[in-house]
């Protein structure tokens, strides 16, 4: 399966962050038989605010993930098990040779990013009557907005500026490479500017592709299977009279956007009853009435770096859920979804501090074991692996010696990706509501998972690094007998041994996770 994932505005980048962590943990969508689905994801970040710190660190994680996965699996898509098994590609990666697109996850909005809004609409060249009309529709501050910081909570600016989307080289290339069996998902917020405006524009241009003779496979795009996550207000910002962004406006903006969406996208009334035709096959709604720790009120000039939030973690799960829905339930005819699906999400336990056990049973079955295995792997590779080099399962493997610690794979994994992973976990833990799945104050295995008391013993011994090394030795010997890994597959061998060994550990000793 292949998914084109449009990440619109700051919320799009923030939801991508936990999705990367979930994919790194080995989580896949599941088919009707309960089997993992091989998956390639093409994230496309649509945000004119390139200096956005949330965008930049998400793009870094994407690049690190792609590098790590390539070392482990090459370009294969048919991988359904193990850490980093979901393939992540840029749009440029999947295009035929000769593409002139840059190898980036960012959608090029150059015509928008470099101008003030009044210059973008050529305000100075308008006649007096049209200037007066623009002055009625847009405030002086909006006309003066330099769009390289996004649309600062103004969807009326974004809805005009983002119409350039359909004329871009990226949209043309995406349109022509799209296949009938591919899927599309759009992530956006509803209470800001870029996301609220970008979501309907992206969907409109995809559904209207049938009217564009320049697109080779326009019928496939028109009837594509499209899912969308609409994120309602979930965080708070500090009050600043000089800033155009205010928490007090979030609800009114949300209501205004919902009225537009139900007329033009979702086919639902405000009460949830069907109104008409939906352009979306599966709609996900998510928010939180509990105010987060107040974020610094930054319209964009200083980078916008928000702490990770549990709503974003849950939002990422909606993408996996969409990919698990059978094709037969996502039918589209003449650009309109038949029997569209609408979903919300609720916690099993409404608490201010959450652990992995506070989510519903479906979520726990899907993700908890994978997340636990990845965190335990992080613990081992960060705090113990360097001590084990040259003994046990690495003793007779000259390719896993001290020099391995300096390889591009290991440094990218531990110095880059794992650092970003720990920062993400720390931000989740200090936010409100807090999500603290793991004990970040210990380097040991036995008490690494919060709210779960492990059974005593690890296979035949205690839950310790010594016991883990013994288990890795046994797994390595079995792998050698089976001839599973060549000497050129060092990274894949190491990560697979850890995945399979921790799989047994979690089943035997941390079975209270689910």
């Amino acid at each position: 399966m292949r998914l084109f994932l449009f990440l619109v505005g700051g919320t799009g980048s923030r939801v991508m962050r936990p999705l990367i962590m979930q994919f790194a943990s080995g989580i896949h969508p599941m088919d009707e038989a309960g089997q993992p689905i091989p998956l390639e994801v093409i994230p496309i970040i649509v945000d004119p605010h390139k200096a956005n710190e949330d965008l930049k660190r998400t793009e870094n994680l994407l690049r690190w993930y792609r590098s790590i996965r390539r070392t482990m699996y090459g370009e294969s898509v048919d991988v359904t098990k193990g850490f980093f098994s979901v393939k992540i590609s840029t749009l440029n990666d999947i295009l035929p040779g000769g593409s002139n697109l840059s190898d980036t996850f960012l959608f090029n909005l150059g015509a928008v990013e470099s101008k003030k809004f009044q210059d973008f609409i050529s305000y100075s060249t308008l006649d007096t009557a049209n200037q007066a009309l623009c002055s009625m529709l847009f405030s002086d501050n909006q006309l003066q907005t330099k769009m390289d910081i996004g649309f600062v909570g103004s969807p009326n600016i974004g809805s005009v500026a983002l119409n350039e989307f359909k004329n871009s080289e990226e949209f043309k290339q995406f349109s022509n490479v799209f296949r009938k069996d591919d899927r599309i998902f759009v992530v956006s917020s509803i209470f800001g500017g870029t996301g609220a405006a970008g979501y309907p524009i992206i969907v409109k241009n995809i559904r209207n592709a049938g009217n564009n003779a320049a697109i080779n496979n326009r019928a496939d795009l028109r009837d594509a299977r499209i899912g969308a996550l609409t994120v309602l207000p979930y965080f708070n910002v500090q009050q600043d009279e000089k800033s155009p962004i205010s928490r007090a406006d979030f609800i009114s903006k949300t209501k205004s956007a919902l009225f537009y969406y139900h007329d033009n996208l979702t086919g639902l009334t405000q009460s949830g009853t069907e109104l008409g035709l939906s352009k979306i096959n599966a709609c996900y709604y998510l928010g939180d009435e509990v105010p987060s720790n107040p974020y610094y009120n930054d319209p964009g000039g200083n980078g916008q770096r928000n702490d990770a939030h549990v709503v974003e973690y849950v939002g990422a799960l909606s993408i996996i859920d969409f990919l698990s829905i059978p094709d037969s339930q996502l039918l589209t005819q003449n650009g309109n979804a038949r029997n569209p699906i609408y979903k919300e999400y609720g916690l099993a336990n409404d608490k201010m501090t959450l652990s992995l056990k506070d989510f519903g049973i479906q979520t726990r079955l899907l993700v908890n074991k994978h997340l636990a295995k990845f965190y335990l792997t992080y613990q081992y590779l960060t705090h113990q692996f360097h001590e084990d080099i040259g003994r046990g399962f690495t003793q007779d493997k000259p390719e896993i010696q001290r020099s391995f610690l300096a390889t591009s794979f290991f440094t990218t994994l531990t110095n880059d990706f794992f650092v970003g992973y720990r920062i993400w976990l720390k931000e989740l833990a200090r936010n409100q509501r807090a999500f603290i799945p793991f004990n970040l104050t210990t380097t040991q295995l036995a008490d690494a998972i919060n709210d779960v008391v492990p059974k005593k013993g690890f296979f035949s011994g205690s839950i310790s690094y010594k016991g883990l090394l013994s288990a890795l030795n046994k797994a390595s010997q079995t792998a050698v007998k089976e001839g599973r890994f060549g000497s050129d597959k060092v990274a894949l061998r190491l990560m697979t041994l850890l995945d399979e060994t921790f799989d047994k550990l979690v089943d035997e000793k941390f079975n209270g996770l689910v």
Side-chain angles (χ1 to χ4, degrees), residues 174-214:
F174 151 72
S175 301
N176 286 318
V177 80
F178 184 84
R179 302 187 300 232
K180 184 176 181 178
D181 293 332
D182 294 340
R183 295 192 184 187
I184 296 167
F185 199 92
V186 183
V187 178
S188 64
S189 70
I190 200 172
F191 55 94
T194 305
Y199 164 36
I201 286 172
I202 289 171
V203 174
K204 178 188 74 173
N205 282 287
I206 291 172
R207 291 299 189 207
N208 288 347
N211 302 324
N212 189 343

Side-chain angles (χ1 to χ4, degrees), residues 356-375:
L356 288 171
K357 295 181 68 176
D358 291 313
F359 296 86
I361 185 64
Q362 287 184 315
T363 299
R364 299 200 303 270
L365 286 170
L366 176 66
V367 305
N368 280 12
K369 183 177 180 181
H370 292 286
L371 295 176
K373 289 194 300 179
F374 189 70
Y375 185 73

Side-chain angles (χ1 to χ4, degrees), residues 372-422:
K373 289 194 300 179
F374 189 70
Y375 185 73
L376 294 170
T377 295
Y378 155 78
Q379 287 281 78
Y380 174 69
L381 291 179
T382 302
H383 301 298
Q384 180 63 31
F385 178 63
H386 63 285
E387 297 292 336
D388 289 344
I389 292 285
R391 59 179 180 163
F393 75 109
T394 70
Q395 186 172 5
D396 59 345
K397 298 292 180 294
E399 64 271 18
I400 305 184
Q401 298 299 329
R402 292 289 168 189
S403 58
F404 178 71
L405 301 180
T407 61
S408 174
F409 168 82
F410 195 77
T411 56
T412 300
L413 177 65
T414 57
N415 294 354
D416 296 325
F417 193 89
F418 277 167
V419 171
Y421 174 61
R422 184 171 179 85

Side-chain angles (χ1 to χ4, degrees), residues 49 53 75 141 209 220 231 253 265 313 400 474 485 493:
H49 187 193
E53 291 295 328
E75 297 301 327
N141 285 338
D220 291 340
V231 182
K253 289 179 180 179
L265 284 176
Y313 166 82
I400 305 184
K474 293 177 182 178
F485 307 107
R493 176 179 179 272

Side-chain angles (χ1 to χ4, degrees), residues 152 223 247 250 381 466 483:
V152 289
D223 292 339
R247 167 79 185 186
F250 286 176
L381 291 179
K466 182 179 179 181

